[in-house]
Amino acid sequence: MPFYIEDRLRWAREMRQKSPCKRCGRLYNHHIKATCLDCGTLDSAELRDLLRQKAVITADLRRMGWIFAGLALALLLFLWWL
């Protein structure tokens, strides 16, 4: 079996064992740890900051995706025009 298929199967097996945290939504292995590693020790103010930071990162990634899609479309139109 090629190396990348083994990695993909290992990743899929690990993802089946993870579940989303009820506080922050991040995936963690509930079989190994009783609490989430990201928010298990945070109080409500720190959790709010963590969720705000997560929202900013998500918005930035979404904006970057739209920029790259626009650039790709502009490049395709430019090459088509030539």
Side-chain angles (χ1 to χ4, degrees), residues 2-40:
F3 185 68
Y4 60 91
I5 294 177
E6 292 173 2
D7 287 341
R8 179 71 178 163
L9 290 173
R10 186 180 316 111
W11 178 82
R13 193 171 26 256
E14 289 173 4
M15 291 307 290
R16 271 198 311 264
Q17 295 173 352
K18 294 183 178 185
S19 62
C21 175
K22 290 177 177 54
R23 291 181 72 197
C24 67
R26 306 261 325 233
L27 293 177
Y28 75 103
N29 194 340
H30 61 278
H31 297 294
I32 296 173
K33 296 283 184 184
T35 61
C36 177
L37 295 174
D38 294 324
C39 71

Side-chain angles (χ1 to χ4, degrees), residues 32-50:
I32 296 173
K33 296 283 184 184
T35 61
C36 177
L37 295 174
D38 294 324
C39 71
T41 59
L42 302 179
D43 61 359
S44 60
E46 292 172 331
L47 179 64
R48 225 176 302 120
D49 291 338
L50 176 70

Side-chain angles (χ1 to χ4, degrees), residues 74-82:
L75 181 65
L76 284 173
L77 289 175
F78 178 74
L79 292 176
W80 179 70
W81 182 66
L82 290 176

Side-chain angles (χ1 to χ4, degrees), residues 61-76:
L61 288 173
R62 185 173 291 127
R63 190 176 311 114
M64 190 182 312
W66 280 107
I67 290 170
F68 281 123
L71 289 173
L73 181 62
L75 181 65
L76 284 173

